[in-house]
Amino acid sequence: MNPVIGFWQNDVNNESEVLGEAYLRLDPTSVSKARDHVRVWIGADHPAYENVRLATSELVTNAVLHTLRRCPHELVSLALVRRADLLYVEVLDPGGVPWEPHAPEAVGDDEECGRGLAIVDEISRRRWGVRDHGERGRTVWCALDWAPTSVEWSCG
């Protein structure tokens, strides 16, 4: 798998700071490992910690659920990057069948799944997206405030 393909790798002014990168197995247990990485990278006392932790959890969960597992050894790549006053969470997965994220308002009130991107949409203030890299995979990313004025969501 290629490393995370992010906008920050082409930052000619070197204004970006990679706070952490990790490779995780395509396994549901990787979601909690991803949250552990976030705690190590920015600390549980960071003002954006809960938002970053929650966004990371949702994006890694989607990668694990929506990736077509071509080989058992394939991985998900997670990166946390600071650029100016924003923290970027990027998750690169091996890809799979063409996938379009569900619009946050498209999930029915009685459905148990499908709210992850609505949560990411809210806490990132609509700063998120998907980049398809063809055979190299797919990146889902979001940008979160370095110092949010409040935590919109809490993850128990």
Side-chain angles (χ1 to χ4, degrees):
M1 173 182 275
N2 295 330
V4 174
I5 301 168
F7 74 92
W8 47 271
Q9 291 179 324
N10 297 321
D11 186 5
V12 294
N13 296 324
N14 292 323
E15 295 176 9
S16 297
E17 176 187 5
V18 178
L19 302 176
E21 289 183 280
Y23 293 94
L24 307 162
R25 295 178 59 105
L26 282 171
D27 185 276
T29 62
S30 291
V31 177
S32 65
K33 290 176 185 172
R35 290 190 299 258
D36 291 343
H37 284 299
V38 167
R39 187 180 65 252
V40 169
W41 295 338
I42 65 171
D45 58 343
H46 190 283
Y49 171 71
E50 286 297 331
N51 284 349
V52 174
R53 180 176 173 251
L54 182 56
T56 298
S57 181
E58 295 300 339
L59 296 183
V60 172
T61 296
N62 280 351
V64 168
L65 292 177
H66 297 291
T67 297
L68 179 61
R69 291 166 177 84
R70 293 185 295 258
C71 299
H73 64 275
E74 287 190 300
L75 303 172
V76 171
S77 176
L78 167 66
L80 181 61
V81 178
R82 180 181 182 182
R83 184 173 189 192
D85 292 334
L86 295 174
L87 288 165
Y88 286 83
V89 178
E90 288 194 348
V91 175
L92 172 65
D93 65 54
V97 295
W99 172 79
E100 288 293 324
H102 294 284
E105 52 277 348
V107 178
D109 290 339
D110 58 344
E111 292 186 43
E112 292 183 26
C113 298
R115 290 185 176 74
L117 288 178
I119 293 169
V120 170
D121 184 66
E122 180 70 26
I123 63 177
S124 70
R125 296 190 295 143
R126 298 189 172 31
R127 297 175 298 210
W128 68 277
V130 178
R131 292 187 303 272
D132 189 350
H133 309 294
E135 287 296 312
R136 294 184 303 157
R138 163 183 50 231
T139 300
V140 183
W141 63 273
C142 70
L144 304 162
D145 293 321
W146 173 261
T149 55
S150 66
V151 177
E152 292 87 1
W153 296 81
S154 181
C155 180

